[in-house]
PDB file of all heavy atoms in Angstrom:
ATOM      1  N   HIS O   7       5.089  13.194   9.442  1.00  0.00           N
ATOM      2  CA  HIS O   7       5.933  13.796  10.482  1.00  0.00           C
ATOM      3  C   HIS O   7       7.114  12.866  10.745  1.00  0.00           C
ATOM      4  O   HIS O   7       7.002  11.894  11.493  1.00  0.00           O
ATOM      5  CB  HIS O   7       5.109  14.009  11.771  1.00  0.00           C
ATOM      6  CG  HIS O   7       5.833  14.779  12.837  1.00  0.00           C
ATOM      7  ND1 HIS O   7       5.184  15.658  13.671  1.00  0.00           N
ATOM      8  CD2 HIS O   7       7.133  14.803  13.215  1.00  0.00           C
ATOM      9  CE1 HIS O   7       6.058  16.191  14.519  1.00  0.00           C
ATOM     10  NE2 HIS O   7       7.243  15.674  14.269  1.00  0.00           N
ATOM     11  N   HIS O   9      11.658  13.107  10.951  1.00  0.00           N
ATOM     12  CA  HIS O   9      12.820  13.997  10.909  1.00  0.00           C
ATOM     13  C   HIS O   9      13.971  13.299  10.203  1.00  0.00           C
ATOM     14  O   HIS O   9      14.837  12.686  10.824  1.00  0.00           O
ATOM     15  CB  HIS O   9      13.189  14.420  12.320  1.00  0.00           C
ATOM     16  CG  HIS O   9      12.080  15.162  13.004  1.00  0.00           C
ATOM     17  ND1 HIS O   9      11.732  16.433  12.631  1.00  0.00           N
ATOM     18  CD2 HIS O   9      11.214  14.795  13.980  1.00  0.00           C
ATOM     19  CE1 HIS O   9      10.711  16.838  13.380  1.00  0.00           C
ATOM     20  NE2 HIS O   9      10.367  15.860  14.192  1.00  0.00           N
ATOM     21  N   GLU O 106       7.315  22.448  13.353  1.00  0.00           N
ATOM     22  CA  GLU O 106       6.335  22.223  14.359  1.00  0.00           C
ATOM     23  C   GLU O 106       6.527  23.206  15.494  1.00  0.00           C
ATOM     24  O   GLU O 106       7.430  23.079  16.316  1.00  0.00           O
ATOM     25  CB  GLU O 106       6.408  20.773  14.866  1.00  0.00           C
ATOM     26  CG  GLU O 106       7.798  20.361  15.393  1.00  0.00           C
ATOM     27  CD  GLU O 106       7.853  18.898  15.783  1.00  0.00           C
ATOM     28  OE1 GLU O 106       7.078  18.447  16.650  1.00  0.00           O
ATOM     29  OE2 GLU O 106       8.702  18.169  15.198  1.00  0.00           O
ATOM     30  N   HIS O 170       0.777  14.709  17.862  1.00  0.00           N
ATOM     31  CA  HIS O 170       1.059  13.898  19.064  1.00  0.00           C
ATOM     32  C   HIS O 170      -0.165  13.788  19.971  1.00  0.00           C
ATOM     33  O   HIS O 170      -0.035  13.838  21.205  1.00  0.00           O
ATOM     34  CB  HIS O 170       2.246  14.459  19.867  1.00  0.00           C
ATOM     35  CG  HIS O 170       3.437  14.884  19.059  1.00  0.00           C
ATOM     36  ND1 HIS O 170       3.919  14.157  18.000  1.00  0.00           N
ATOM     37  CD2 HIS O 170       4.272  15.963  19.173  1.00  0.00           C
ATOM     38  CE1 HIS O 170       4.986  14.778  17.493  1.00  0.00           C
ATOM     39  NE2 HIS O 170       5.201  15.861  18.182  1.00  0.00           N
TER      40      HIS O 170
ATOM     41  N   CYS H  96      10.921  14.150  19.259  1.00  0.00           N
ATOM     42  CA  CYS H  96      11.281  15.456  18.737  1.00  0.00           C
ATOM     43  C   CYS H  96      12.332  16.093  19.633  1.00  0.00           C
ATOM     44  O   CYS H  96      12.430  17.296  19.744  1.00  0.00           O
ATOM     45  CB  CYS H  96      10.079  16.380  18.602  1.00  0.00           C
ATOM     46  SG  CYS H  96       8.728  15.623  17.696  1.00  0.00           S
TER      47      CYS H  96
HETATM   48 ZN1   ZN K 301       8.736  16.133  15.536  1.00  0.00          ZN
END
Side-chain angles (χ1 to χ4, degrees):
Chain O
H7 187 145
H9 299 289
E106 56 184 301
H170 316 318
Chain H
C96 308

